[in-house]
Amino acid sequence: MWQELMVALIVAGALVHFSTKYLPLAWRRRIVYTLGKRGFNETKLARFFKTSGGGGCGSGCSDCAPSTSTSCDSKSTTTSKQRVIKLHVQR
């Protein structure tokens, strides 16, 4: 009985880890949206599932209030540095 319970907990933990790391971004956003509708905190879920913002604001900020939607913190995805790999084709 105890062994089966422990195996079930380990499998549930592995499923949570898999869903936060390897699921496509669209599925993770859908999970955050669905759980947010059920009463869970969308901001914490968005951070846990590594999606941008809570509830799909689109601005990259976790706070969607109208007064702060234009001013995000310095860790916003729109102001982060992006690396570009330049390919030089030699023919």
Side-chain angles (χ1 to χ4, degrees):
M1 168 85 177
W2 286 102
Q3 291 176 345
E4 294 168 353
L5 182 63
M6 293 302 289
V7 168
L9 288 174
I10 290 170
V11 169
L15 180 65
V16 168
H17 175 71
F18 172 80
S19 64
T20 59
K21 189 166 185 166
Y22 297 110
L23 281 181
L25 183 62
W27 290 12
R28 289 183 278 153
R29 285 183 180 161
R30 187 68 171 166
I31 291 171
V32 169
Y33 174 75
T34 304
L35 290 176
K37 285 269 206 188
R38 303 276 188 250
F40 291 96
N41 188 348
E42 285 189 41
T43 306
K44 288 183 181 179
L45 285 171
R47 231 179 306 139
F48 183 72
F49 281 98
K50 298 172 185 72
T51 60
S52 62
C57 297
S59 66
C61 300
S62 61
D63 190 12
C64 295
S67 62
T68 61
S69 63
T70 57
S71 62
C72 300
D73 59 352
S74 62
K75 294 182 181 178
S76 174
T77 58
T78 57
T79 60
S80 65
K81 258 188 161 173
Q82 295 181 357
R83 291 186 169 205
V84 177
I85 299 174
K86 295 182 181 180
L87 299 176
H88 299 285
V89 180
Q90 296 178 356
R91 295 183 186 192

